[in-house]
């Protein structure tokens, strides 16, 4: 076992443990904190897999933006403690079992699959030399230019949608109060 | 290339499963949304692993897109949650049953 | 002018009335009593454009254009297009001129009607449909507009739909036409199935190639009855023509159609739509030509209808019905001409008839207008001095109808008789029949003139008070038609070399037809003399019956009471149809179709589907719990199943 593999096992263990913590906390604040740990370790995993840019993105967007959004909402909601109660669905053992079965099946599928390497134009040493940012940028702005433009539209729509949904409508603006 | 692909795939499968279980069993919409983030992360791990394995950048590019979509999803989902809470004073999904037949 | 400009001009001819229809149909609420300001200019402009087309065709320019592909399904390929040849040009002129005059006349006749804009809308729609009918370059397009003119006829007969009799007459016209159109439709199918095309030229070529093919009609039943394919096609097409042109025994709708406003009778049920059958037979003549038996059928049906309708016309008492039976009879003459291969003459008679019969109808309308709606000729008489313009024009129309020399009807009818005489043994017989018909025609035409305009007045005192000549907007079209009813015949003067201009004009269309040589000019002259004498004789008898010795008609009627009642009741055709078709249909409909097929089978099935769905839904609705996670669970179960199948199939 070399150093990379040791790091991987560490990251994997932390990811799994804190994922479980995330979905089992009664108080969402603790869940968000656990999720933050998961995201950081996933970012570390990306570095191990030669994707430094994605790792940075993971930290900046996921940990920095999305999770802060979650915390904001939690603060805005100021849910009374008792409203949080009864954390799980009434048939949760059955549902958990189904989820577990799905995982098992997927694992089985992966175990039986063979993944022959089909070397593409970006082997690790090339990527390391030019930097993963440049490598991704090259592909993103050539081959994936149109999807890239479309995704900007998606973000725009989401932004407008979020504003419209959360805005308090006054009667003068043609809607009922507090829609 | 020191980390076997199968290890990463196993990790992603486990994270995916945890996300699914969270999605299915919890009542709090916030936790549900976080479970969704877990599922998306599992998929991202997969994409990055294959990108590394196949010496291609396409997987990484798609991760960029996924993150953008996840951000959009979080924004809209949380906005809906806010609107819901404002009307119903609840964040529990099983108290919202308008679709019952 | 370039080709496309010419085509555009040609297309404007039908498009202008269509536009008028759209304006009056959609915005009739606003146009109201100004509706004629939309329709009349459109139709008159169409007429002027038609004159340009005529000029082009006279100088030898024909048009054939496909506008766009309409239907393409496998081998079935139909375009919408236009074809302009001399035959089309003649029809264009007839349709647009009569239509223009009728539109103008209607301004006066329909004045104050509550459906004024609707009337003009339908009249314009009819003009559009009729123009497209004659312009079309394939059979399917022809058929579509054939049905469209039928629809307009229905709508206009039922213009006063709040009158029960008008609504019934409209329905009758539609249903009777359906019988003929069923045959027409079958004919089209047969043409397509056997020849694989509906384009005129291709059909003609195909029919020629298929002259000797036969069809076994009884094959599905195990029997054997071979019929010539071309004969079958021609007869099926002719069935459609019989319905539209009111030939025996499908003539019953036309007299009833007189329930519509009189301008409609003039335009649709005299001048244009009813002649569509003649046009169609003339257009399809290469097919008819190939089948002597079909030709004979056309000739016999035409001749039979000519004499049959004339006998009924002798005794009818409704001014419009007399003219209507006269129309049926004259259409018979046209088919007679078609049947003996004299298509040019048939079209010639179609044209002159359109003018003089349109004139007679509009004149009758003017009489009715003057008498505030009275149509019974027994309650008329002595109108000569009170409505002189109507009288004079009506007289001209009657002279033309009777076939008095120098009037238009003389030239065309006489030519039909002459050609019949030279068309073999059957032609000789039909000549005799047609001659007798001509006698009757002259008689009933002048019976009408004498009863309506001469003698003592028999008006009801109430009506007598209000008698008034129609306004100029009605009399001017009458005068124009009167002029046409005299001079339109002069384009087809027989005997003189170069006199038969219209025949010469139409020759390119009918060039495949064997030309009958005018072998014996002297014999022909005598034939003309005979028919002139017959016409004058008819007039003389009418003069005797209704002017000099008014007691005669009753004496004759009481001498043959059975025959008189047979004619008065129109040979009992309506009653026979009622007994043989209408009543059994109603009985079957009520006993079986309604109470068994509809209630017990169709309703039961439909209700069964409904209640089964309802019961199933009542139990299945439970799976909709409204809990989001249950739906998510379904998704995951689906994933589980898919992966399981994948694993199992590895």
């Amino acid at each position: 076992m070399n150093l990379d593999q040791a790091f991987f096992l560490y990251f994997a263990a932390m990811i799994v443990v804190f994922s479980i913590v995330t979905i089992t906390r009664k108080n969402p604040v603790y869940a968000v904190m656990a999720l933050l740990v998961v995201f950081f370790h996933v970012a570390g995993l990306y570095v191990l897999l030669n994707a430094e840019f994605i790792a940075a993105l993971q930290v900046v967007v996921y940990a920095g933006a999305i999770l802060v959004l979650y915390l904001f909402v939690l603060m805005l909601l100021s849910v009374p403690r008792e409203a949080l109660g009864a954390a799980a669905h009434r048939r949760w053992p059955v549902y958990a079992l189904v989820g577990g079965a799905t995982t098992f099946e997927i694992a089985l599928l992966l175990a039986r699959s063979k993944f022959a390497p089909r070397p593409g134009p970006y082997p690790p040493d090339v990527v390391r030399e030019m930097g993963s940012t440049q490598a991704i940028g090259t592909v993103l702005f050539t081959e994936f230019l149109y999807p890239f433009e479309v995704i900007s539209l998606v973000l725009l729509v989401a932004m407008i949608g979020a504003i419209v949904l959360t805005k308090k409508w006054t009667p003068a603006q043609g809607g009922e109060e507090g829609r | 290339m020191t980390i076997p692909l199968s290890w990463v795939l196993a990790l992603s499968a486990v994270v995916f499963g945890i996300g699914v279980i969270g999605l299915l069993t919890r009542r709090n919409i916030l936790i549900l949304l976080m479970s969704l983030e877990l599922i998306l992360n599992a998929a991202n791990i997969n994409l990055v692993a294959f990108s590394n394995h196949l010496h291609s950048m396409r997987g990484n590019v798609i991760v960029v897109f996924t993150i953008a979509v996840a951000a959009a999803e979080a924004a809209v989902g949380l906005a809906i949650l806010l609107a819901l809470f404002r009307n119903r004073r609840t964040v529990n999904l099983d108290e919202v049953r308008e679709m019952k037949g | 002018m370039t080709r496309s400009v010419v085509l555009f001009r040609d297309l404007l001819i039908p498009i202008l009335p269509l536009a008028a229809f759209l304006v009056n149909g959609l915005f009739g609420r606003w146009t109201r009593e100004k509706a004629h300001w939309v329709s009349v200019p459109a139709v008159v402009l169409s007429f002027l454009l038609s004159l340009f087309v005529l000029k082009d065709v006279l100088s030898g320019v024909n048009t054939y254009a496909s506008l766009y592909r309409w239907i393409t399904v496998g081998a079935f390929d139909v375009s919408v297009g236009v074809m302009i040849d001399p035959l089309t040009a003649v029809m264009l002129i007839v349709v647009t001129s009569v239509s223009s005059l009728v539109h103008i006349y209607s301004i006066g006749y329909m004045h104050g009607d509550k459906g004024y804009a609707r009337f003009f809308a339908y009249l314009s729609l009819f003009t559009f449909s009729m123009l497209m009918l004659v312009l079309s370059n394939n059979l399917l397009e022809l058929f579509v507009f054939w049905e469209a003119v039928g629809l307009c006829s229905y709508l206009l007969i039922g213009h006063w739909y709040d009158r029960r009799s008008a609504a019934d007459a409209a329905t009758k016209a539609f249903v009777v036409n359906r019988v003929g159109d069923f045959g027409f439709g079958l004919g089209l199918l047969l043409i397509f199935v056997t020849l694989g095309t509906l384009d005129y030229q291709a059909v003609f070529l195909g029919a020629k190639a298929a002259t000797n093919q036969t069809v076994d009609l009884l094959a599905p039943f195990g029997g054997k009855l071979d019929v010539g394919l071309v004969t079958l096609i021609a007869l099926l097409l002719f069935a459609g023509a019989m319905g539209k042109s009111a030939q025996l025994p499908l003539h019953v709708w036309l007299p009833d159609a007189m329930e519509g406003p009189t301008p409609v009778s003039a335009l649709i049920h005299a001048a244009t739509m009813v002649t569509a059958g003649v046009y169609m037979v003339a257009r399809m003549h290469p097919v008819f030509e190939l089948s002597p038996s079909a030709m004979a059928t056309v000739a016999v049906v035409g001749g039979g209808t000519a004499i049959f309708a004339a006998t009924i016309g002798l005794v009818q008492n409704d001014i419009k019905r007399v003219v209507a039976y006269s129309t049926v009879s004259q259409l018979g003459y046209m088919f007679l001409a078609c049947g003996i291969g004299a298509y040019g003459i048939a079209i010639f008679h179609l044209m002159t008839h359109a003018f003089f019969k349109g004139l007679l109808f509009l004149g009758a309308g003017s009489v009715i207008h003057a008498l505030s709606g009275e149509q019974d000729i027994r309650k008329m008489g002595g109108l000569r001095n009170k409505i002189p313009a109507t009288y004079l024009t009506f007289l001209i129309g009657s002279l033309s109808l009777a076939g008095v020399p120098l009037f238009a009807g003389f030239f065309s009818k006489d030519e039909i008789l002459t050609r019949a005489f030279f068309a073999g043994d059957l032609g000789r017989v039909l000549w005799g029949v047609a001659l007798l018909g001509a006698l009757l025609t002259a008689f009933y035409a002048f019976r009408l003139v004498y009863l309506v305009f001469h003698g003592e007045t028999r008006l009801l005192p109430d009506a007598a008070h209000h008698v008034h000549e129609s306004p100029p907007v009605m009399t001017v079209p009458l005068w124009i038609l009167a002029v046409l009813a005299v001079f339109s015949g002069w384009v087809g003067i027989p005997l003189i070399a170069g006199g038969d201009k219209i025949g010469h004009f139409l020759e390119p269309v009918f060039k495949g037809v064997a030309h009958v040589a005018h072998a014996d000019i002297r014999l022909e002259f005598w034939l003309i003399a005979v028919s002139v004498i017959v016409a004058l004789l008819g007039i003389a008898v009418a003069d005797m019956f209704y002017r000099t010795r008014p007691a005669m008609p009753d004496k004759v009627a009481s001498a043959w009471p059975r025959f008189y009642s047979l004619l008065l009741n129109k040979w009992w055709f309506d009653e026979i149809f009622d007994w043989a078709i209408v009543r059994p249909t109603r009985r079957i409909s009520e006993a079986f179709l309604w109470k068994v097929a509809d209630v017990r089978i169709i309703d039961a099935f439909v209700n069964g589907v409904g209640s089964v769905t309802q019961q199933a839904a009542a139990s299945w609705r439970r799976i909709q719990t409204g809990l989001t996670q249950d739906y998510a669970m379904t998704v995951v179960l689906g994933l589980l199943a898919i992966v399981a199948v994948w694993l199992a199939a590895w």
Side-chain angles (χ1 to χ4, degrees), chain C residues 105 109 261-263 265-266 319-320 323 358-375 380 387 390 394 468 470 474 478:
Chain C
Y105 178 91
Y109 191 84
T262 309
S265 311
I319 183 169
K320 283 182 73 181
V323 188
L359 170 61
L360 283 176
F361 263 119
L362 292 185
S366 181
V367 170
I368 295 165
H369 192 71
L371 302 182
S372 319
E374 183 58 64
Q375 302 199 6
M380 297 180 185
I387 44 175
T390 307
F394 199 89
H468 58 282
S470 303
M474 287 165 71
L478 286 178

Side-chain angles (χ1 to χ4, degrees), chain A residues 75-152:
Chain A
M75 190 190 73
L76 275 174
L77 291 181
S78 62
V79 187
R81 283 198 75 81
E82 61 270 26
L84 292 171
H89 190 271
R90 61 198 152 91
R91 284 198 292 267
W92 74 267
V94 183
Y95 283 21
L97 204 67
V98 172
T102 311
T103 314
F104 177 72
E105 272 194 350
I106 293 173
L108 210 58
L109 198 66
L110 290 172
R112 291 205 202 164
S113 308
K114 291 186 182 63
F115 300 103
R118 219 181 311 155
Y122 291 101
D125 44 339
V126 173
V127 174
R128 254 182 234 127
E129 195 188 327
M130 73 193 303
S132 86
T133 310
Q134 193 189 341
I136 288 178
T138 311
V139 178
L140 186 62
F141 293 119
T142 54
E143 197 178 342
F144 287 87
L145 185 60
Y146 290 115
F148 177 73
E149 294 295 338
V150 171
I151 214 75
S152 72

Side-chain angles (χ1 to χ4, degrees), chain C residues 33 119 300 317 352 380 486 591:
Chain C
E33 67 274 13
F119 179 82
V300 169
N317 289 321
T352 57
M380 297 180 185
V486 178

Side-chain angles (χ1 to χ4, degrees), chain B residues 16 20 23-27 32 93-94 96-97 99-101, chain C residues 621-622 624-634 636 639:
Chain B
F16 174 81
V20 168
L23 189 70
L24 288 179
T25 55
R26 297 302 302 261
R27 299 170 66 216
L32 290 183
L93 200 56
D94 52 5
V96 187
R97 303 188 66 164
M99 297 279 279
K100 185 168 164 49
Chain C
R621 63 189 278 251
R622 284 158 207 259
Q624 297 289 332
T625 58
L627 281 175
T628 315
Q629 278 158 325
D630 288 348
Y631 298 116
M633 184 66 177
T634 327
V636 175
L639 175 67

Side-chain angles (χ1 to χ4, degrees), chain B residues 74-85:
Chain B
V76 176
L78 290 171
I80 291 172
L81 175 63
L82 270 180
L84 176 73
F85 186 74

Side-chain angles (χ1 to χ4, degrees), chain C residues 290-597:
Chain C
L290 295 170
S291 166
S293 47
M295 291 287 279
T297 311
V298 174
V300 169
V301 169
T305 307
I307 183 96
F308 160 81
T311 57
I312 299 176
L314 294 178
V315 298
Q316 294 301 308
N317 289 321
D318 182 317
I319 183 169
K320 283 182 73 181
R321 275 176 194 258
V322 175
V323 188
Y325 276 108
S326 159
T327 304
V328 175
S329 169
Q330 296 300 310
L331 288 166
Y333 277 101
M334 295 177 211
F335 278 113
L336 170 58
C338 285
I340 56 173
Y343 306 102
I345 310 302
I347 298 299
F348 180 32
H349 193 55
L350 188 161
M351 181 182 80
T352 57
H353 172 258
F355 295 137
F356 68 70
K357 190 54 66 66
L359 170 61
L360 283 176
F361 263 119
L362 292 185
S366 181
V367 170
I368 295 165
H369 192 71
L371 302 182
S372 319
E374 183 58 64
Q375 302 199 6
D376 192 335
I377 51 176
R378 286 167 301 189
K379 294 175 187 159
M380 297 180 185
L383 291 173
R384 183 169 35 156
N385 299 320
K386 290 175 180 150
I387 44 175
T390 307
Y391 168 64
L392 273 173
T393 50
F394 199 89
L395 186 64
I396 291 171
S398 299
L399 286 167
S400 194
L401 170 64
V404 172
L406 299 186
F407 288 88
F410 162 74
F411 295 106
S412 53
K413 184 154 72 178
D414 198 70
E415 191 66 15
I416 294 176
L417 292 178
T418 312
R419 292 289 294 270
F421 188 82
F422 288 114
D425 293 338
L426 179 65
R428 206 59 65 90
V429 173
L430 289 172
W431 172 78
V433 170
L435 198 63
L436 183 57
L439 176 69
L440 299 179
T441 304
F443 176 78
Y444 68 63
F446 276 82
R447 168 175 176 261
L448 214 50
V449 171
Y450 285 125
L451 278 178
V452 174
F453 294 102
H454 290 255
E456 292 297 306
T457 177
R458 298 179 300 282
L459 292 172
L460 301 176
D462 228 21
H465 219 65
H466 299 294
V467 176
H468 58 282
E469 180 61 282
S470 303
V473 76
M474 287 165 71
T475 49
V476 168
L478 286 178
W479 281 114
I480 297 174
L481 278 172
V483 169
L484 287 170
V486 178
F487 295 106
S488 66
W490 294 19
V491 297
I493 301 168
L495 298 181
I496 305 164
D500 189 15
K501 291 193 183 66
I502 186 153
H504 186 68
F505 178 57
L506 288 170
E507 215 171 61
V509 183
F510 305 119
K511 56 179 175 278
V513 181
H515 204 72
V516 180
H518 288 245
D520 193 343
I521 285 216
R522 188 173 301 184
L523 182 56
E524 211 172 308
F525 176 78
W526 280 114
L527 286 174
I528 292 171
V530 166
S531 68
V532 169
I533 290 166
V534 160
L536 294 177
L537 185 67
I539 295 173
V541 173
D543 182 70
M544 183 179 82
F545 268 41
Y546 296 101
R547 204 164 63 96
T548 50
R549 296 166 69 184
M552 276 294 279
D554 286 339
K555 240 187 263 176
V556 175
S558 49
W560 292 298
R562 289 235 176 132
F563 190 58
Y564 179 70
S565 116
L566 179 71
L567 295 185
L568 195 61
N569 288 293
K570 310 147 204 164
W571 297 62
W572 305 104
F573 255 96
D574 282 329
E575 286 74 11
I576 291 168
F577 280 164
D578 189 54
W579 177 80
I581 297 170
V582 178
R583 280 180 200 202
T585 308
R586 292 182 78 144
R587 217 166 295 147
I588 292 170
S589 300
E590 193 173 316
F592 178 74
L593 293 178
W594 169 24
K595 288 187 175 155
V596 177

